[in-house]
Amino acid sequence: SYVLTQTPSVSVAPGETATITCGGINIGRKSVHWYQQRPGQAPLLVVYDDRVRPSSIPERFFGSNSGNTATLTISGVEAGDEADYSCQVWDTDFDHPLFGGGTHLTVL
Amino acid sequence: QLQLVQSGAEVKKPGASVKVSCQTYAYTFSANYMHWVRRAPGHGLQWMGWINPKSGVTKYARQFQGRVTMTSDTSITTVYMDLVRLTSDDTAVYFCARGQLDSSDFEYLKDWGQGTLLTVSS
């Protein structure tokens, strides 16, 4: 079955840019969605359809998708961005959502 | 304001069953599939299944088939997730999430309930 691979952790200083990747075979042919989950909270959709931000999500969150890697880029990282970020695609073999293992973003 | 409001935390013994509810507000209940996702300590998000609230048709992840049942009550715009034969591995936070069609006519999870903590311990 399809597999999504995420780096377990990423650390950046405040104000820097965080790059979170999601790897999968030909993932560029799929629609990729990203969720932020702060400790003790429900997941929050931050990007859908590779690069579209819900209206409440700041422009600092940018998604892209090509080849075998989808990327969530967070510019001007703030302390409040510290969270787990998970990518999601649709597993067409089994007809259900599939999540990556998640990346924990630490703001130093 | 659209909301998904879940039932409260549960503590169960191994072998027991649990039923978690997700009451919805301020959208057309029958218009979207409802998914259930869990997050166990030290693990990522895990999809459990979806239900079409209008028809009652369900699809479950292979890992949960035979142990999970999802139902809906359109009269009170509520969906339910039953999980039986609980073990300590089922200790997790359980979320309902409203599906939304993406550009490929598949789904992402647009709105989430607040989560229900299930603790399974003897």
Side-chain angles (χ1 to χ4, degrees):
Chain A
S1 62
Y2 198 75
V3 176
L4 295 175
T5 301
Q6 294 188 244
T7 303
S9 63
V10 168
S11 300
V12 296
E16 298 297 308
T17 296
T19 300
I20 298 169
T21 60
C22 177
I25 296 174
N26 293 321
I27 195 173
R29 299 179 185 177
K30 295 179 177 291
S31 294
V32 178
H33 321 295
W34 291 92
Y35 304 89
Q36 175 196 69
Q37 189 175 18
R38 296 187 176 110
Q41 296 188 16
L44 172 70
L45 179 73
V46 293
V47 166
Y48 65 95
D49 286 344
D50 298 341
R51 60 179 61 245
V52 183
R53 283 177 294 104
S55 57
S56 63
I57 303 302
E59 294 181 5
R60 303 186 295 105
F61 289 77
F62 177 79
S64 61
N65 184 19
S66 180
N68 294 317
T69 305
T71 304
L72 177 68
T73 304
I74 308 171
S75 59
V77 165
E78 303 172 355
D81 297 331
E82 186 160 298
D84 293 324
Y85 292 85
S86 300
C87 57
Q88 178 244 311
V89 300
W90 193 266
D91 187 332
T92 53
D93 290 336
F94 294 99
D95 194 25
H96 65 69
L98 176 69
F99 293 97
T103 297
H104 183 74
L105 173 64
T106 299
V107 181
L108 300 170
Chain B
Q1 176 184 352
L2 191 151
Q3 287 188 81
L4 307 178
V5 180
Q6 298 183 222
S7 49
E10 302 266 9
V11 179
K12 297 291 183 180
K13 294 190 181 301
S17 303
V18 70
K19 187 168 189 169
V20 181
S21 66
C22 172
Q23 187 161 14
T24 73
Y25 300 89
Y27 76 95
T28 303
F29 180 66
S30 60
N32 304 87
Y33 284 17
M34 191 69 77
H35 300 255
W36 288 90
V37 176
R38 77 178 187 182
R39 184 156 188 199
H43 293 267
L45 297 171
Q46 182 179 27
W47 179 80
M48 299 180 67
W50 56 249
I51 181 169
N52 178 328
K54 181 178 182 180
S55 66
V57 172
T58 56
K59 185 176 182 69
Y60 305 134
R62 280 190 300 179
Q63 177 177 357
F64 298 102
Q65 284 177 2
R67 284 210 304 140
V68 70
T69 303
M70 297 175 188
T71 55
S72 66
D73 186 337
T74 56
S75 67
I76 55 172
T77 63
T78 299
V79 295
Y80 302 91
M81 189 279 297
D82 276 276
L83 191 61
V84 302
R85 300 192 299 277
L86 295 170
T87 72
S88 57
D89 289 341
D90 294 315
T91 294
V93 180
Y94 290 76
F95 299 95
C96 58
R98 186 173 76 110
Q100 182 75 36
L101 287 179
D102 66 20
S103 59
S104 303
D105 278 343
F106 298 119
E107 293 211 329
Y108 60 92
L109 305 182
K110 186 173 183 181
D111 304 288
W112 295 68
Q114 83 276 20
T116 297
L117 174 62
L118 169 64
T119 303
V120 182
S121 174
S122 55

